[in-house]
Amino acid sequence: MKNPFENALSQIDRAVAVQGFDDDFLARLRDAEREVRISIPVLMDSGHTKMFEGYRVQHNSARGPYKGGIRFHPQTEINEVRALALWMTMKTAVVNLPMGGGKGGVTVDSKTLSVGELERLSRGWVRMLAPIIGPHSDVPAPDVNTTPQIMAWMVDEYEKITGDKTRATFTGKPLNCGGSEGRGEATGRGGWFVFDVLRKFVGLEKKCDIVVQGMGNVGGNAARIFRDNGARIIAMSDSRGGVYDAGGLDPAAVEAYKKGRGSLDGFPARTISNAELLELECDVLVPAALENQITAENAPRIKARMVLELANGPTTPEADDILLAKGIMVVPDILANAGGVAVSTFEWEQNLKNERWGEKEVVEKLRTQLSPEALNVHARADLLHTDLRRAAFIVALERIRKAIK
Ligand code: NAD
């Protein structure tokens, strides 16, 4: 299988085959503006110092400061971070936020660290990268295995090093450290707004059957928000496997169970593997975990009517072709999961203006930011007789090219 960066470049090629862009412009997007690899020394509880490899990729800043999360994961490597940074450039453009694209990461199984080790690693990442991040240059946020608490340590370290008190260099912070109302649920809620605009085109009601892979920040919140809006959540999973109930699960109960016991083992519903979960009969399949989950191998067996990509890069280009041929609507990550970076941008704006917006205001701003852009992408796909991913890339590329010009 290709690595995520090769997939991201291939997505650009596929869009450009539908609507051409000049080669000089495209060359600028095939490579990041800057990539930094760091080696972070962390004092472990044992008294030894251990080195961790980390990254920041600053892909493109034509439309604003680099923006993108930091991932802590054992499989994180440079090509994954490159892909995630490129997708951020496309994402901020497709939903028209005044930001560019970047991404960071550390190769680490953070579940094996103590709280103190995790804090020292988080602060270490900032110490190494403080010279190239900042409220007007590069604004990181949480991603897989990074939490509001980690953002609080990071923003505190950044303030200590630079004296900057805006707290606008990191988003996804806790509320009492300059965070925004609605940021925690933003990606899931944005997914709902995008779904609500696009569902009519495939004849889906709000009341429909949903399968969610991954129950972290994105998947857990999405499951709750979809259920609150009338949908039935028939399956959910974490990295070890999932649970299935055709009659519907209560996402809050599934999450509470996992929190209490550390796993879904013994939850009163049928247990299924992640592979089985993806192939369940349902209306909407919501991948909300990692890249490369829907591939040429399993795509022929996907039975959903819509795939709403809340994870980044869950579908390979080969799988895209298979799903398209089967008549399944794939709502691409750069549109479907843009709610997170949208509310992160609102948080940054509140910090810079020293304001606090109420939750209702944030949710309404999010809807206003995403819904017209989802319709715009759909209209472009119609006009060009193409799929939503190619159309979203074309809309994004046009905006980035305009900014560069
Ligand atoms: P998280 O760390 O909060 O949760 C990840 C979840 O995925 C966990 O439940 C974990 O158990 C599960 N998981 C891990 N490996 C899995 C596997 N192989 N199969 C099934 N489940 C697995 O991370 P998150 O912030 O929810 O991010 C999830 C995805 O959403 C990522 O692709 C991320 O890049 C993307 N995303 C996150 C945000 C955000 O605001 N956090 C915004 C946009 C996109």
Side-chain angles (χ1 to χ4, degrees), residues 76-156:
T76 288
E77 45 80 43
I78 187 66
N79 283 308
E80 181 186 65
V81 185
R82 278 181 185 140
L84 291 163
L86 187 154
W87 286 323
M88 286 306 298
T89 299
M90 299 297 153
K91 193 178 303 186
T92 51
V94 85
V95 297
N96 215 0
L97 294 164
M99 292 288 182
K103 203 82 184 190
V106 177
T107 313
V108 58
D109 183 357
S110 55
K111 286 174 197 156
T112 62
L113 301 184
S114 70
V115 175
E117 290 165 345
L118 188 61
E119 175 173 352
R120 293 191 286 279
L121 174 65
S122 305
R123 289 181 182 275
W125 191 94
V126 178
R127 266 199 309 283
M128 293 295 190
L129 291 166
I132 63 156
I133 60 175
H136 300 291
S137 54
D138 185 350
V139 184
D143 190 72
V144 173
N145 293 326
T146 47
T147 58
Q149 171 65 73
I150 291 177
M151 294 304 116
W153 289 325
M154 288 185 160
V155 82
D156 180 60

Side-chain angles (χ1 to χ4, degrees), residues 161-347:
I161 295 168
T162 64
D164 176 87
K165 292 202 186 304
T166 63
R167 299 194 284 198
T169 302
F170 291 85
T171 58
K173 303 178 293 286
L175 274 180
N176 61 355
C177 298
S180 175
E181 294 285 353
R183 174 61 184 91
E185 310 80 41
T187 310
R189 181 162 283 125
W192 169 261
F193 288 148
V194 171
F195 165 75
D196 199 27
V197 165
L198 297 178
R199 66 182 172 79
K200 296 147 198 161
F201 298 108
V202 278
L204 285 173
E205 300 292 326
K206 287 188 183 186
K207 195 167 173 260
C208 59
D209 286 351
I210 317 267
V211 166
V212 186
Q213 183 200 38
M215 43 187 281
N217 172 289
V218 175
N221 280 303
R224 261 182 284 120
I225 290 164
F226 274 72
R227 184 173 190 257
D228 290 348
N229 281 285
R232 185 160 58 178
I233 311 302
I234 59 168
M236 291 173 74
S237 69
D238 66 11
S239 58
R240 290 198 270 175
V243 289
Y244 168 66
D245 185 342
L249 297 161
D250 173 1
V254 179
E255 282 189 289
Y257 188 93
K258 165 153 181 175
K259 210 171 171 197
R261 314 232 179 164
S263 83
L264 294 172
D265 292 348
F267 185 84
R270 208 183 106 200
T271 38
I272 49 169
S273 68
N274 266 300
E276 286 174 283
L277 173 131
L278 294 172
E279 296 169 19
L280 286 171
E281 188 107 33
C282 64
D283 294 311
V284 186
L285 173 61
V286 182
L290 296 173
E291 303 90 56
N292 288 343
Q293 298 299 302
I294 305 174
T295 64
E297 196 279 315
N298 62 1
R301 297 187 300 278
I302 302 285
K303 297 177 196 75
R305 289 165 65 191
M306 177 194 277
V307 174
L308 184 72
E309 294 185 333
L310 295 193
N312 285 306
T315 313
T316 65
E318 297 74 28
D320 258 347
D321 287 340
I322 297 168
L323 298 180
L324 190 64
K326 283 168 68 106
I328 298 173
M329 178 191 264
V330 178
V331 186
D333 45 11
I334 58 171
L335 174 64
N337 71 29
V341 68
V343 178
S344 267
T345 303
F346 302 161
E347 180 176 332

Side-chain angles (χ1 to χ4, degrees), residues 32-70:
E33 290 174 1
R34 183 196 260 158
E35 293 183 358
V36 180
R37 193 196 76 89
I38 55 177
S39 197
I40 312 167
V42 175
L43 179 64
M44 305 302 279
D45 294 348
S46 64
H48 290 289
T49 299
K50 195 170 164 184
M51 304 306 294
F52 290 90
E53 187 164 348
Y55 309 94
R56 186 70 183 169
V57 174
Q58 298 180 328
H59 179 259
N60 189 277
S61 58
R63 303 185 66 263
Y66 305 106
K67 184 91 196 79
I70 304 166

Side-chain angles (χ1 to χ4, degrees), residues 9-41:
L9 291 178
S10 145
Q11 288 168 345
I12 293 186
D13 292 340
R14 290 155 62 94
V16 168
V18 173
Q19 180 178 306
F21 288 84
D22 62 279
D23 289 342
D24 292 355
F25 162 63
L26 292 173
R28 263 173 108 137
L29 295 180
R30 287 187 202 285
D31 224 341
E33 290 174 1
R34 183 196 260 158
E35 293 183 358
V36 180
R37 193 196 76 89
I38 55 177
S39 197
I40 312 167

